[in-house]
Amino acid sequence: MLEVQGLTCFRQNRCLFADLNFVLSEHQICQIEGPNGAGKSTLLRAILGLFRADEGQVIWSGKSTTQQAELFLQQVFFLGHKFAINSDLTPWQNLEFWSALNPTQNDDFDSALTKVGLTGLEHIPCHSLSAGQHRRVALARLWLTNTKLWVLDEPFTAIDKSGVQLLQQRFNSHLTSGGMILLTSHQDLSQDFAQLHTIKLTDNTGEII
């Protein structure tokens, strides 16, 4: 279980959100909404320890993440605005390198790349691919990882409708197996999720729905 307690973050003397509290458990997906600049990405980074919150704490399985940072991060898959793609490597080589450093459930890179629509591009250097295709390489990791908590910052950007549907099917599969998902998105989720929660960041607060 992930628990956020009293989280408060300022940036450049502006309060993004204050005294934010919520819990995310197995089988649950939580969507963070809000206008640009509301603090969505900052919230994700604060939860992961990549941005220092001014107040509050994050609890994982009953203990503060600051006391077990390495153990916590070993159970997290994070996709931010930067995709962590080496442009000199091919999509297949990028997945191979990433899998050597992260917990994975399989090494079927060809299948993962096919899932995200990169058939025929597996062995082309990524510097020859578009920004959207770079994102697809990063998203292919979702078919390889076996981490418990997925933290995804705008995962649907530059993805077509069929790709969005495919990703949401993968989300459901992960949740069914006991996973948890925390994501930001400017668009509503089009599939039904049994345990969907929403956090709306606005006016320096977070409203839990």
Side-chain angles (χ1 to χ4, degrees):
M1 181 176 71
L2 176 75
E3 185 175 0
V4 172
Q5 298 180 345
L7 211 62
T8 298
C9 283
F10 290 85
R11 174 165 282 184
Q12 297 179 342
N13 297 320
R14 183 172 72 91
C15 180
L16 296 178
F17 47 84
D19 195 28
L20 182 61
N21 300 273
F22 69 90
V23 172
L24 184 66
S25 301
E26 291 183 350
H27 309 290
Q28 293 183 338
I29 180 171
C30 180
Q31 181 177 7
I32 302 169
E33 299 179 347
N36 290 335
K40 300 185 298 297
S41 295
T42 299
L43 174 57
L44 296 187
R45 293 173 64 82
I47 289 171
L48 296 176
L50 302 175
F51 181 87
R52 185 174 180 178
D54 294 276
E55 296 180 15
Q57 62 179 340
V58 179
I59 305 297
W60 176 257
S61 298
K63 294 183 180 180
S64 170
T65 55
T66 59
Q67 299 174 359
Q68 52 168 345
E70 183 175 353
L71 178 62
F72 169 57
L73 293 177
Q74 286 175 353
Q75 300 178 70
V76 175
F77 173 86
F78 174 55
L79 179 65
H81 290 296
K82 295 184 178 181
F83 311 139
I85 298 298
N86 186 325
S87 294
D88 292 328
L89 300 180
T90 68
W92 200 96
Q93 289 171 329
N94 267 284
L95 293 186
E96 181 183 39
F97 180 80
W98 177 85
S99 295
L101 300 175
N102 293 274
T104 58
Q105 62 185 8
N106 67 72
D107 59 357
D108 191 352
F109 308 142
D110 289 324
S111 176
L113 292 168
T114 296
K115 291 286 189 182
V116 296
L118 292 178
T119 301
L121 301 175
E122 299 94 332
H123 303 292
I124 295 177
C126 285
H127 60 67
S128 299
L129 305 181
S130 68
Q133 289 169 331
H134 278 209
R135 173 168 286 275
R136 289 172 183 268
V137 175
L139 288 169
R141 300 165 184 159
L142 293 176
W143 278 266
L144 304 175
T145 182
N146 62 1
T147 51
K148 188 81 169 180
L149 172 63
W150 293 359
V151 179
L152 312 174
D153 198 354
E154 297 293 343
F156 305 130
T157 300
I159 302 297
D160 59 23
K161 289 184 179 181
S162 62
V164 170
Q165 289 296 320
L166 183 66
L167 280 178
Q168 292 186 64
Q169 290 172 12
R170 181 69 184 105
F171 291 175
N172 257 323
S173 176
H174 179 59
L175 297 172
T176 299
S177 65
M180 307 150 64
I181 301 174
L182 182 64
L183 81 157
T184 67
S185 177
H186 285 293
Q187 64 186 80
D188 293 333
L189 298 173
S190 56
Q191 288 195 16
D192 291 330
F193 293 92
Q195 299 191 57
L196 171 63
H197 304 277
T198 303
I199 297 174
K200 290 190 175 181
L201 297 183
T202 179
D203 299 327
N204 304 336
T205 63
E207 178 186 2
I208 315 298
I209 299 177

